[in-house]
Amino acid sequence: MIDTHSHLYLEEFDEDRSEVVERAKLSGVKHLILPNVDLETVPSLLATKKQFPDYCSVAMGLHPTSVGNDYQKDLQEIERLFLDENPVAIGEVGIDLYWDKTFVKEQIVAFEQQLQWAADLHLPIIIHNREATNEILSSLRKFVGKVTGVFHCFSGNETEAKTMLDFGFKLGINGIVTFKKSTLPQVLSKLNINDLLIETDMPYLSPTPYRGKRNESAYMLQTALKLSEIFEVDLSEIKRVTTKNAITLFQLTEVS
Ligand SMILES: [Zn+2]
């Protein structure tokens, strides 16, 4: 398996980062994608990549909740810091209208600017969407055919899923699908495993039975098990197809 959304570089893992990686390897996780948050997270992200160079790939981006008055300067600086880091994606980027709507205009401009990076660099994007599906889709519409990627932490309905897939995107599935009241299993049952990636969003969103605890890549297995139940196929098939989807999307030539 490949954890397509890991924040291994955050301080929650400062005490035991190597052990977390060991447990991930033991549970069959072969590679991690580390999406950036903002300027402050770049040093620890790049240090983590340096510590596990073959095990981690990085994504370059400015998270929508970090878009403020200085976002243009932040974008320039992030672009410069990632110049020699061979990012495999632009992320995580998007629009978040849940936490704060003050900078909605700036969030849209920043998102479209980073969509342009993705188009120019031929990189996929990792989308963060919180209560902003319509806004995100209307920005994406301008880039259909030029940019692909993944809707990280997908939790929408079937209509939204179909539009995202029509736009050439995959859906990132994490621990939410294991939650008791989640409607996601029902939505996913109408889709195809080929449309899905598995992720953790660690340290957040631990799957059942670890809900509420710090999440880590080793727990991806719970999400994969849930998918095998939803699609009524072997766990090995879920692992094989979602891994292949991740390798293809992020062009991870060195992972097999
Ligand atoms: Zn994230």
Side-chain angles (χ1 to χ4, degrees), residues 66-95:
S66 298
V67 170
N69 283 320
D70 292 330
Y71 78 100
Q72 281 296 348
K73 234 168 59 195
D74 291 357
L75 282 172
Q76 268 179 24
E77 188 62 8
I78 283 173
E79 205 176 7
R80 188 186 69 79
L81 290 167
F82 275 90
L83 208 61
D84 300 318
E85 302 297 337
N86 298 317
V88 295
I90 302 299
E92 57 183 291
V93 301
I95 304 172

Side-chain angles (χ1 to χ4, degrees), residues 62-75 93-97 100-115 132 135-136 139 142:
L62 179 65
H63 193 285
T65 59
S66 298
V67 170
N69 283 320
D70 292 330
Y71 78 100
Q72 281 296 348
K73 234 168 59 195
D74 291 357
L75 282 172
V93 301
I95 304 172
D96 189 315
L97 301 181
D100 192 358
K101 293 191 176 97
T102 317
F103 292 102
V104 56
K105 269 194 199 145
E106 290 81 357
Q107 283 194 39
I108 293 171
V109 177
F111 180 43
E112 295 189 2
Q113 198 165 324
Q114 294 178 94
L115 274 162
E135 288 79 0
I136 285 179
S139 288
K142 305 174 189 171

Side-chain angles (χ1 to χ4, degrees), residues 97-188:
L97 301 181
Y98 173 79
W99 291 106
D100 192 358
K101 293 191 176 97
T102 317
F103 292 102
V104 56
K105 269 194 199 145
E106 290 81 357
Q107 283 194 39
I108 293 171
V109 177
F111 180 43
E112 295 189 2
Q113 198 165 324
Q114 294 178 94
L115 274 162
Q116 192 58 52
W117 286 357
D120 294 343
L121 298 168
H122 303 289
L123 290 175
I125 63 168
I126 298 168
I127 297 183
H128 170 101
N129 167 23
R130 193 114 191 239
E131 295 186 3
T133 305
N134 291 336
E135 288 79 0
I136 285 179
L137 290 176
S138 79
S139 288
L140 276 188
R141 204 161 271 126
K142 305 174 189 171
F143 290 86
V144 170
K146 291 181 214 150
V147 175
T148 67
V150 56
F151 273 83
H152 138 66
C153 197
F154 173 76
S155 59
N157 60 37
E158 196 187 338
T159 315
E160 290 167 344
K162 293 255 157 85
T163 309
M164 293 163 183
L165 298 173
D166 282 347
F167 281 12
F169 279 72
K170 303 277 181 210
L171 310 177
I173 306 302
N174 58 34
I176 289 178
V177 76
T178 68
F179 296 174
K180 223 176 181 168
K181 288 182 182 160
S182 175
T183 52
L184 200 50
Q186 210 190 332
V187 174
L188 296 185

Side-chain angles (χ1 to χ4, degrees), residues 6-67:
S6 159
H7 297 287
L8 176 68
Y9 56 87
L10 292 182
E11 63 181 7
E12 280 86 344
F13 302 101
D14 281 355
E15 299 290 315
D16 61 348
R17 195 164 280 113
S18 301
E19 284 97 320
V20 169
V21 166
E22 277 320 302
R23 284 195 292 273
K25 286 180 178 170
L26 283 173
S27 72
V29 180
K30 292 190 170 173
H31 200 75
L32 312 182
I33 310 279
L34 312 180
N36 188 43
V37 178
D38 55 27
L39 261 185
E40 276 176 40
T41 55
V42 178
S44 59
L45 181 138
L46 296 183
T48 303
K49 160 79 181 159
K50 212 170 174 183
Q51 194 181 348
F52 311 99
D54 301 325
Y55 197 61
C56 297
S57 297
V58 299
M60 150 174 109
L62 179 65
H63 193 285
T65 59
S66 298
V67 170

